Amino acid sequence: MQPLPDDLARNRPGDAVRRRIRELQPNPLLRLLDRWSADPRLRGWKVGLVGERLTGKRLDRLRGHGWFTLHAVQWATGTDIDHLAIGPAGVFTVNSKRHPGKTVWYGDTAITINGSRTRHIAASQSEARRVSRVLSHACGFNVPVRPVISVVHAAKLTVKGANPPVLVLAVEHIDRVLSGLSPALSPDQVAHIYGVARQARTWTG
C-alpha cells in the first residue's frame, strides 16, 4: 500500500478507492479495459469512485466560504473516511453512497435500498463518533461530529422525520444544506480543527 502524504489536504476525492483499484489491477491498461470486468470487487470499487468524486466536487464548493474539506482520510487499519467537511456549522463526516436507479428510503433508524435494509445509518454514526473522539483528543476540546450520507444517482430519495440523527442528502443538495445550517464554531475553532485534521498522524498515530 502506498504511504499517504503527511498533508491530507493534497488528497483528491476517491484517492483511497483508487489505491484499492490499483491493488486489484496493477496494470493501467487493463484497468481501463476492466470497466467491463466480471470481477464484482473491481466493479464495486469503480461504482464507489464515481460517487466519491461527485460528492467531493460538491463539497469543495464550500471552500472560500469559511469551510475546509478533506478527502480519503485513512486510518491506520487501511479503512478511510470518504470526506470531512469542517466549517461554521461544525464538523461532518460525509459518506458517499452511489445507488444508480434505485429507490432509497430513510426512516428513523435505517436506510433501505429497493426495500432491502442496509447498515448505512449505523456505520455512519459509528464513524462520526470515532472521528469525534480522535479530533477532541487531538484538539484539546470537545469536537462534536455529525454524520452525513451523500446519495448519488438514486432514482428516488425519501427521507422521513424532521430532525434525523444522520443527514441523508442527494448529492446535488449537499453543499447548499451544509452551508445553510446554523453556526456552531468560530473561525478560529474551524481553522484549528482543520489544522489538526489535515495531518495524517492524527488518524494513524
Side-chain angles (χ1 to χ4, degrees):
M1 182 176 293
Q2 294 182 359
L4 288 175
D6 291 334
D7 184 0
L8 300 182
R10 292 186 285 178
N11 286 1
R12 298 171 299 165
D15 268 354
V17 176
R18 289 184 182 90
R19 286 192 290 272
R20 299 290 180 88
I21 291 172
R22 285 196 296 268
E23 289 168 7
L24 285 170
Q25 179 48 268
N27 187 305
L29 178 58
L30 290 180
R31 280 201 299 272
L32 289 175
L33 298 176
D34 276 345
R35 69 178 64 185
W36 300 283
S37 171
D39 186 335
R41 296 175 303 166
L42 205 53
R43 283 206 317 272
W45 286 118
K46 288 192 173 185
V47 166
L49 177 58
V50 172
E52 290 195 31
R53 289 175 61 189
L54 290 173
T55 299
K57 186 175 181 179
R58 275 284 171 176
L59 289 171
D60 286 346
R61 292 186 178 194
L62 294 168
R63 292 178 176 176
H65 301 281
W67 287 79
F68 299 94
T69 56
L70 294 169
H71 309 289
V73 176
Q74 191 165 306
W75 299 100
T77 57
T79 59
D80 75 290
I81 306 158
D82 291 351
H83 316 275
L84 274 178
I86 303 166
V91 180
F92 301 84
T93 54
V94 183
N95 201 316
S96 174
K97 295 295 181 185
R98 186 174 179 231
H99 295 291
K102 304 291 180 63
T103 297
V104 179
W105 186 90
Y106 175 36
D108 291 331
T109 60
I111 284 177
T112 61
I113 309 298
N114 282 357
S116 297
R117 190 181 178 96
T118 72
R119 293 195 68 258
H120 291 350
I121 296 301
S124 293
Q125 290 177 307
S126 177
E127 180 177 69
R129 288 192 295 267
R130 186 181 182 189
V131 170
S132 178
R133 288 194 299 270
V134 168
L135 288 179
S136 296
H137 175 75
C139 290
F141 56 86
N142 184 42
V143 181
V145 177
R146 187 170 184 184
V148 179
I149 292 175
S150 169
V151 178
V152 182
H153 291 161
K156 183 180 181 181
L157 171 61
T158 301
V159 177
K160 296 292 186 180
N163 188 30
V166 177
L167 282 174
V168 178
L169 305 168
V171 65
E172 58 266 26
H173 302 313
I174 195 166
D175 52 319
R176 176 181 58 80
V177 171
L178 292 186
S179 64
L181 295 175
S182 299
L185 297 174
S186 69
D188 286 347
Q189 287 175 313
V190 170
H192 182 68
I193 294 168
Y194 174 65
V196 169
R198 69 189 293 179
Q199 300 175 47
R201 65 176 179 269
T202 297
W203 311 99
T204 57

